[in-house]
Amino acid sequence: MKNIQLLGLILVVAGSFMPLVHVPIIGNWNYWKLDHYLAITCWILSACAVFGIVNSSAKVVRVFGILLILLFALTLVAVKMQSLEYFSFLPFKSWRETFAGVVKLKWGWIVEFLGALLMVFAVGNKKGDQRTQI
């Protein structure tokens, strides 16, 4: 359980440095380029999850994994809303939606969500590693 949760945590932290959004002409953006505060929040939640992993507290890791999933979902909504607002100067709604559609999500989100889901759904043995000696 601990190893799977640690792998999920590594995926979350590594995913924050991978390309998450592609903006034409500008290039790919990772979490830090999207928003500094969201990136810091992601890393703080990851650090709190490390505390849970080190102390073998599955509940703490699950709570912070769920919080990370909510943060990622909030970030996706914020990216979509910001791209729509960025082109708000255009007169027609269809034009705004078309130009906002050029902002594409990249493969880094798969790594982020996969890592957080591994943290949440890693199931441990309740009895521990008690071995019977004969």
Side-chain angles (χ1 to χ4, degrees):
M1 170 181 77
K2 214 175 197 182
N3 293 336
I4 295 173
Q5 289 175 339
L6 190 60
L7 175 67
L9 179 75
I10 291 170
L11 286 175
V12 167
V13 172
S16 68
F17 294 105
M18 294 178 183
L20 299 174
V21 176
H22 177 75
V23 181
I25 300 174
I26 297 174
N28 293 326
W29 286 358
N30 58 16
Y31 231 133
W32 187 257
K33 288 183 182 178
L34 280 176
D35 188 56
H36 300 294
Y37 298 112
L38 289 175
I40 292 170
T41 304
C42 174
W43 296 334
I44 288 172
L45 291 175
S46 297
C48 293
V50 166
F51 176 75
I53 292 171
V54 169
N55 291 325
S56 298
S57 177
K59 287 184 180 181
V60 171
V61 177
R62 283 188 183 126
V63 166
F64 285 106
I66 290 170
L67 289 174
L68 281 167
I69 290 171
L70 292 174
L71 176 71
F72 299 152
L74 172 78
T75 305
L76 287 173
V77 170
V79 164
K80 190 63 171 172
M81 297 298 287
Q82 186 65 29
S83 65
L84 282 171
E85 188 171 316
Y86 186 73
F87 294 105
S88 64
F89 65 91
L90 295 173
F92 301 112
K93 187 176 181 180
S94 62
W95 288 7
R96 279 184 247 154
E97 291 173 356
T98 302
F99 279 102
V102 298
V103 176
K104 300 291 184 193
L105 300 177
K106 297 296 280 185
W107 56 273
W109 287 112
I110 296 170
V111 176
E112 292 277 10
F113 278 105
L114 179 65
L117 288 173
L118 280 176
M119 290 169 55
V120 171
F121 293 116
V123 178
N125 189 2
K126 294 286 184 185
K127 296 178 184 176
D129 286 335
Q130 298 174 352
R131 296 181 183 175
T132 306
Q133 292 182 348
I134 299 176

